Amino acid sequence: MARDEHNKAAEHHENAAKAHRSAAEQHGKGDHAKGKEHAASAKQHSQTAHQHSEQAHSKSQQQK
């Protein structure tokens, strides 16, 4: 179902946003190693969200 893929994408977008905020906080504290870890996590969540969005779009097109 396309809706499930949209929900998965939304969850990953939210997790990416949280990781971005954590990265910014750590960089602000001068802990650049931790900041880079959070930034990498944000990137992974963002890429996964994109994949789910693409799958949702594909499934939506098939249902037409």
Side-chain angles (χ1 to χ4, degrees):
M1 236 181 175
R3 182 178 63 195
D4 292 337
E5 293 300 327
H6 284 295
N7 286 334
K8 289 177 186 177
E11 288 176 26
H12 283 284
H13 279 298
E14 290 168 1
N15 288 335
K18 289 176 187 176
H20 277 295
R21 285 189 290 274
S22 293
E25 182 180 338
Q26 294 304 317
H27 279 289
K29 292 178 179 179
D31 189 350
H32 299 293
K34 252 323 185 195
K36 287 176 94 173
E37 287 179 30
H38 287 290
S41 176
K43 181 179 178 182
Q44 183 59 50
H45 282 295
S46 181
Q47 290 171 336
T48 303
H50 177 74
Q51 291 170 351
H52 285 293
S53 293
E54 291 290 324
Q55 291 171 0
H57 177 73
S58 178
K59 288 179 180 182
S60 292
Q61 293 300 315
Q62 292 172 1
Q63 293 175 356
K64 288 184 178 182

